[in-house]
Amino acid sequence: MTPTRQAAVRLTQFAHGGGCACKIPPGELEAVVSGLTAPSLTGVDSPLLVGLATGDDAAVVALPGQENTAVVSTADFFTPVVDDPYDWGRIAAANALSDVYAMGGRPLLAVNLLAWPRDRLPFELAREVLRGGLDVAAEAGCHVGGGHSVDDPEPKYGMAVTGLADPARLLRNDTGRPGLPLSLTKPLGLGVLNNRHKATGERFEQAIATMTALNRDASVAALAAGADCATDVTGFGFLGHLHKLARASEVTAVIDTAAVPYLEGAREAVRDGYVSGGTRRNLEWVAPFTDFGETDADTRLLLADAQTSGGLLVAGEVPGAPVVGELVPRGTHSIVLR
């Protein structure tokens, strides 16, 4: 942790929540979108390879006449997670691009999504946000072609991203099989550190470095290792996204809680009470589907912590990433903690 760096304008104070912690709770969201499909465009012969059914990270559609190419489409935006506008832009872009990597794709084109309180915040700050997004997209080799903006009482930023993937080599959340190990490519604890930053102004370089790191290399490594099942860990927390993967794959995930990595300062942030409402809602949502065993209360909160631009959770071994559990045949619960 570095000494507090005071910003001229504290962007996090203009948001009711921060980053992916401001997402609509997963249980409420699933109730709203249930059944919202177009029957004429779905079915066995549909070119829509991944849609709403399993709650995966992005949509994937096959291109007519292109056996080796599918289009990956996603959008992600959120309120300020840090006070520095350039860092916020970088984090939001990395988070949006992550959905494409989580499907095994490569981003091709992004457009900006910007909401800005033009009477309350100077546009110079918005420019810095956009510059941060542009720089991370450039690092990813992804074009940025404009976007859309609205006047909004609360600042929000993100991207809609289009990518390409091989339809025969997708990473999906419904293809997990018993016997596969589970690898996690970034440590947890981003949510509680961001919440502490919002409350105190303390700047956590380790959190910023983690959130701005692309999941590109992890995605490539997962595909090279033969993996076909993965998801990224964002606003629904590790447990929330793991539950969705286990449910979609009709398996149970057994987690070795001692093997799960955390960012420096994360446990202290939980101990000191910097836990977002989104994290508590995540934990409440997964509780009926989880055998917590003897896992202590702080660890449960960290495992449900609402991450922003977190890592990939891969059913398979990824070089350099810790193995945190395994998939087993479906049991009473979708998650078992040990």
Side-chain angles (χ1 to χ4, degrees), residues 41-326:
L41 298 178
T42 59
V44 176
D45 298 323
S46 171
L48 185 65
L49 305 178
V50 180
L52 186 62
T54 62
D56 218 325
D57 297 297
V60 183
V61 64
L63 286 176
Q66 301 288 326
E67 293 184 0
N68 299 320
T69 306
V71 173
V72 184
S73 182
T74 184
D76 210 312
F77 63 97
F78 47 68
T79 53
V81 68
V82 293
D83 289 326
D84 186 285
Y86 178 72
D87 285 342
W88 176 33
R90 294 194 299 148
I91 292 164
N95 183 75
L97 294 165
S98 178
D99 284 340
V100 175
Y101 295 132
M103 302 303 301
R106 56 192 185 280
L108 176 66
L109 173 66
V111 291
N112 292 305
L113 304 172
L114 179 69
W116 202 255
R118 47 187 292 274
D119 294 330
R120 301 175 64 202
L121 286 173
F123 266 122
E124 290 80 359
L125 297 180
R127 178 181 175 85
E128 282 299 288
V129 174
L130 294 170
R131 185 171 71 89
L134 183 63
D135 283 355
V136 163
E139 180 185 350
C142 178
H143 301 283
V144 179
H148 184 68
S149 62
V150 295
D151 187 352
D152 192 300
E154 190 174 55
K156 304 175 183 72
Y157 174 66
M159 289 178 163
V161 186
T162 300
L164 300 176
D166 183 342
R169 301 187 70 224
L170 293 174
L171 297 174
R172 305 171 55 126
N173 72 354
D174 63 351
T175 49
R177 301 179 300 281
L180 289 176
L182 289 166
S183 301
L184 181 63
T185 67
K186 286 185 183 181
L188 305 181
L190 292 164
V192 291
L193 290 178
N194 288 338
N195 212 36
R196 186 165 202 153
H197 170 70
K198 177 180 172 66
T200 69
E202 296 172 87
R203 181 177 168 89
F204 299 95
E205 298 293 346
Q206 71 274 29
I208 293 172
T210 299
M211 290 185 288
T212 55
L214 294 172
N215 280 326
R216 173 184 54 200
D217 293 348
S219 178
V220 170
L223 289 172
D228 62 5
C229 178
T231 187
D232 65 352
V233 180
T234 55
F236 299 152
F238 173 80
L239 291 180
H241 291 284
L242 177 61
H243 166 60
K244 292 175 68 175
L245 184 152
R247 181 180 63 184
S249 297
E250 299 183 346
V251 295
T252 289
V254 179
I255 300 300
D256 177 4
T257 57
V260 177
Y262 300 101
L263 286 165
E264 179 186 355
R267 283 200 174 273
E268 291 78 3
V270 172
R271 177 200 64 199
D272 295 339
Y274 296 103
V275 179
S276 70
T279 290
R280 297 189 186 279
R281 289 190 293 269
N282 288 342
L283 187 57
E284 181 181 3
W285 179 58
V286 300
F289 314 107
T290 304
D291 178 356
F292 289 103
E294 298 180 358
T295 307
D296 63 85
D298 284 0
T299 298
R300 295 184 189 190
L301 286 168
L302 281 169
L303 291 172
D305 189 37
Q307 305 298 278
T308 295
S309 193
L312 298 187
L313 176 61
V314 181
E317 291 196 45
V318 178
V323 172
V324 299
E326 64 175 334

